[in-house]
Amino acid sequence: MSQYEAEIKRRRTFAIISHPDAGKTTLTEKFLLYGGAIAQAGQVKGKKNTRAATSDWMEIEKQRGISVTSSVMQFQYEGFCINILDTPGHQDFSEDTYRTLMAADSAVMVIDAAKGVEAQTRKLFKVCAMRDIPIFTFINKMDRETRDPFELCEELEKELGIDTYAMNWPIGCGKEFKGVYDRQNRKVIHFTSNTNAKAATATQIEVDDPALAELIGQSKHSQLVDEIELLDGASCDFDMERVRHGKLSPVFFGSALTNFGVEPFLEEFLRMTTAPLPRKAGEQVIDCFDEDFSAFVFKIQANMNKAHRDRIAFMRVVSGRFDAEKEVYHMQGGKKMRLSRPQQLMAAEREIIEEAYAGDIIGVFDPGIFSIGDTLCAPSKKFQFDPIPTFAPEHFQRIRSIDTMKRKQFLKGVEQIAQEGAIQIFKTPYTGMEEVIVGVVGTLQFDVLEYRLRSEYNVELYKEGLPYEYLRWVVREDENAQPLKEEDLLLPADAKLVEDYKGNQLILFASQWSIQWVTERNKGLVLAEFGGAKF
Ligand code: G4P
């Protein structure tokens, strides 16, 4: 195997998904600790604050003390080169979060053992599932009172529609948490809490060892024996092919905070995942080992420096090796170019790089030429990756400039920000030029929009909240068909036909019920939850 192949083979690129507070940051931090990328726990969170305090980009970050952008971290662990894609959770949930998942080859889903499947887990899972990428579940916080593990697995299966296979099984929880039973090795890993150090000690003991009953107590022991029998009898077989196609999720129980079960989880995860996945470009499939470099843009981070309106375009390298010295071809721009100031993130530090391999994420300086989904490839081999889907916003406002004389700046600003992918903009047949409907996935984007229009375009906004919560694309089989008119459709009062700036038609709905109503009463009307993508 050449050094080039070996470099690609050792890459793993995955996203961590969860509902806020399930323990995503804590788990990520433990991974980084094992890889030696950080020296002590607490650094990841600390970094967020330091960055907001020292950099002046996105004042809003400072004001709110949060991170508006999703980040990527690279670290090394036992010969693997790992790229973790963070998916921001709290108020800063945005379409960027979904798009980041397009760059991942697998996902780690963190579940709070006391809460089970939560709203944001569900949304992020759906996006991973539509690409059939492997999804590994880490059921966290076993050192606290939890729900019944059987019930948790059942909920994952029912709510998310994925089969589960418990790789290990917890013995008790909270104060009574004794450890986990490793099903493959038929060993119990015993947990001894050490609250001061926030770290547990783990010792291994064979499940048949008579000393086990003494260690975990007679009743816990009999319960474990019964549960093992139940698990072995009831659960589906472990099938690696199904894992690799996102049909079966390996489930691990543990506690990120006390560091219990995290390293075995990481090791199993690395063992079960593969080198970077191929991507489709129309009829072609671009494999990671293809000789030539190729990448696609999945995220644009704007306004790093207000004076220059510069941006950073994040791209996922799909094939080959990126060489900062070599020219690449930007398909959508139809131009050869050298990527400017390529950089990578390592635990929130940026560093300029000379090379990168398939699987890696690089950020390049963007003078305003890149859009989400753009392809970069070798000048000798041109192709275009399939588009990144547009995800349905869930919050809508009608906006216009308070000062009607500033209509032009207003439109330029919203169009620019929409092009970066931070917001989506729509109009109705009756909307004049002076107002637009804005849709966002997370409400913080409204604040970002208002802030940026004020500071970059000198426009003060008039905003009006709209009651819609859902958006569906109208699917037209015949691309040349006349656009639908409102009178062609039976719509309830709380639904509205709109159009985006590319001419796609969409319907806004205030409720799920309303979507159902429209689908039932308009025969032949096909609605899609994602826009512009094939899977
Ligand atoms: P997130 O990124 O998914 O939002 O979650 P994060 O890691 O920030 O964890 C949320 C809270 O849950 C934190 O507590 C964290 O310490 C705690 N936590 C994470 N994993 C475990 C675990 O395995 N067991 C227990 N008992 N707690 C866990 P916090 O009080 O909100 O923050 P902090 O003051 O500890 O930083």
Side-chain angles (χ1 to χ4, degrees):
M1 186 169 30
S2 69
Q3 146 118 39
Y4 162 77
E5 272 179 347
E7 275 299 338
I8 295 180
K9 222 172 182 167
R10 71 188 193 93
R11 266 146 169 98
R12 294 290 185 277
T13 305
F14 65 94
I16 307 201
I17 62 172
S18 73
H19 191 82
D21 280 343
K24 185 163 58 74
T25 314
T26 314
L27 189 71
T28 309
E29 199 163 74
K30 295 289 144 75
F31 289 168
L32 296 176
L33 269 174
Y34 301 144
I38 55 170
Q40 71 193 66
Q43 276 195 328
V44 177
K45 274 196 179 164
K47 276 275 158 52
K48 265 189 209 166
N49 301 336
T50 334
R51 199 186 54 182
T54 54
S55 115
D56 65 354
W57 100 266
M58 280 282 176
E59 270 300 300
I60 209 162
E61 272 199 343
K62 261 200 277 181
Q63 286 168 13
R64 295 215 172 182
I66 49 157
S67 157
V68 185
T69 52
S70 40
S71 58
V72 190
M73 284 167 276
Q74 187 181 73
F75 70 99
Q76 315 283 326
Y77 176 78
E78 298 206 335
F80 290 96
C81 174
I82 299 167
N83 295 299
I84 298 188
L85 294 150
D86 185 22
T87 53
H90 297 262
Q91 314 94 308
D92 44 352
F93 193 60
S94 70
E95 212 185 330
D96 248 4
T97 313
Y98 289 140
R99 281 193 289 254
T100 296
L101 297 175
M102 298 295 121
D105 291 330
S106 60
V108 167
M109 176 165 70
V110 187
I111 301 278
D112 183 328
K115 298 190 175 144
V117 177
E118 295 175 87
Q120 215 149 288
T121 332
R122 224 172 274 132
K123 289 182 191 170
L124 293 165
F125 175 88
K126 212 176 194 177
V127 176
C128 294
M130 79 185 177
R131 287 185 50 224
D132 293 336
I133 57 173
I135 299 170
F136 294 76
T137 308
F138 187 80
I139 301 192
N140 191 29
K141 304 197 187 181
M142 289 309 298
D143 59 310
R144 289 220 193 137
E145 288 308 313
T146 70
R147 286 172 47 193
D148 175 60
F150 281 109
E151 200 187 290
L152 284 168
C153 290
E154 204 178 295
E155 183 173 283
L156 286 170
E157 301 203 348
K158 260 210 188 123
E159 285 241 3
L160 305 178
I162 190 169
D163 286 339
T164 60
Y165 186 93
M167 302 300 294
N168 63 26
W169 197 250
I171 307 167
C173 66
K175 286 199 184 75
E176 288 292 298
F177 183 52
K178 303 288 182 195
V180 292
Y181 164 66
D182 176 344
R183 291 182 70 195
Q184 201 181 5
N185 297 316
R186 298 187 56 77
K187 271 187 181 152
V188 167
I189 305 162
H190 183 242
F191 169 90
T192 322
S193 99
N194 184 349
T195 39
N196 286 342
K198 277 196 175 176
T201 330
T203 41
Q204 292 199 9
I205 177 164
E206 299 285 333
V207 73
D208 307 318
D209 191 327
L212 181 62
E214 216 169 287
L215 195 64
I216 64 174
Q218 194 59 52
S219 80
K220 285 258 173 321
H221 186 259
S222 341
Q223 191 185 344
L224 176 66
V225 172
D226 289 350
E227 289 185 347
I228 292 175
E229 204 177 290
L230 203 63
L231 268 180
D232 290 346
S235 67
C236 55
D237 289 339
F238 182 79
D239 179 346
M240 191 63 106
E241 266 313 291
R242 297 190 66 223
V243 172
R244 298 229 161 110
H245 290 97
K247 302 292 174 235
L248 178 70
S249 179
V251 176
F252 298 78
F253 292 84
S255 157
L257 185 69
T258 62
N259 211 357
F260 183 82
V262 179
E263 201 157 12
F265 169 64
L266 178 62
E267 279 169 4
E268 278 295 302
F269 169 81
L270 292 170
R271 193 178 64 79
M272 287 190 213
T273 44
T274 55
L277 294 182
R279 303 288 157 138
K280 277 200 231 153
E283 297 298 301
Q284 298 182 60
V285 174
I286 311 301
D287 189 72
C288 63
F289 295 110
D290 286 358
E291 281 287 302
D292 296 306
F293 163 79
S294 70
F296 66 87
V297 177
F298 66 92
K299 168 184 155 79
I300 291 174
Q301 186 169 298
N303 200 26
M304 302 292 280
N305 180 338
K306 185 177 143 191
H308 301 293
R309 284 210 185 138
D310 55 0
R311 336 192 274 195
I312 295 243
F314 285 89
M315 46 189 81
R316 152 78 199 241
V317 183
V318 176
S319 65
R321 173 175 170 270
F322 166 72
D323 180 345
E325 293 298 308
K326 281 196 182 151
E327 280 193 319
V328 299
Y329 191 78
H330 176 215
M331 283 302 291
Q332 280 76 2
K335 270 204 185 107
K336 266 203 251 180
M337 61 171 67
R338 193 164 291 169
L339 295 177
S340 173
R341 280 192 255 144
Q343 47 190 278
Q344 227 163 31
L345 287 156
M346 208 284 295
E349 299 289 354
R350 283 170 203 278
E351 63 178 56
I352 302 287
I353 51 147
E354 294 300 321
E355 60 164 23
Y357 290 89
D360 287 344
I361 309 295
I362 53 175
V364 303
F365 173 74
D366 171 22
I369 52 171
F370 295 123
S371 294
I372 303 284
D374 280 7
T375 300
L376 291 119
C377 53
S380 59
K381 225 189 215 175
K382 295 175 190 157
F383 58 82
Q384 210 159 306
F385 285 113
D386 288 0
I388 288 183
T390 313
F391 300 93
E394 293 173 18
H395 308 276
F396 300 87
Q397 279 184 352
R398 191 194 308 277
I399 58 164
R400 62 178 159 81
S401 165
I402 290 178
D403 181 350
T404 48
M405 301 300 283
K406 292 194 174 152
R407 207 186 64 205
K408 267 197 181 150
Q409 289 100 305
F410 163 75
L411 274 182
K412 189 169 166 223
V414 286
E415 280 173 13
Q416 176 82 23
I417 296 166
Q419 190 212 341
E420 287 162 12
I423 56 166
Q424 290 180 41
I425 48 176
F426 312 99
K427 54 187 177 186
T428 69
Y430 316 106
T431 320
M433 283 296 283
E434 63 281 348
E435 66 172 31
V436 291
I437 294 174
V438 179
V440 297
V441 169
T443 50
L444 182 68
Q445 296 306 322
F446 285 141
D447 297 359
V448 173
L449 172 69
E450 189 172 13
Y451 174 81
R452 290 191 55 192
L453 283 176
R454 183 184 304 134
S455 67
E456 294 171 40
Y457 298 87
N458 203 15
V459 169
E460 285 296 331
L461 276 191
Y462 168 82
K463 309 176 295 182
E464 180 195 334
L466 296 173
Y468 310 110
E469 287 184 18
Y470 302 89
L471 180 151
R472 296 288 180 267
W473 278 261
V474 175
V475 182
R476 308 304 300 272
E477 290 296 329
D478 176 6
E479 281 181 10
N480 301 318
Q482 284 294 314
L484 289 174
K485 296 202 190 81
E486 237 166 33
E487 46 275 28
D488 299 336
L489 294 169
L490 267 175
L491 293 180
D494 62 358
K496 191 180 218 28
L497 181 69
V498 295
E499 207 175 83
D500 66 15
Y501 278 68
K502 288 182 192 147
N504 297 311
Q505 291 196 296
L506 308 100
I507 303 176
L508 300 176
F509 298 95
S511 65
Q512 282 280 13
W513 174 87
S514 183
I515 302 178
Q516 205 180 332
W517 193 95
V518 169
T519 325
E520 280 168 9
R521 283 178 179 67
N522 294 274
K523 293 290 167 229
L525 178 71
V526 183
L527 299 176
E529 220 172 307
F530 305 104
K534 292 176 271 181
F535 289 98

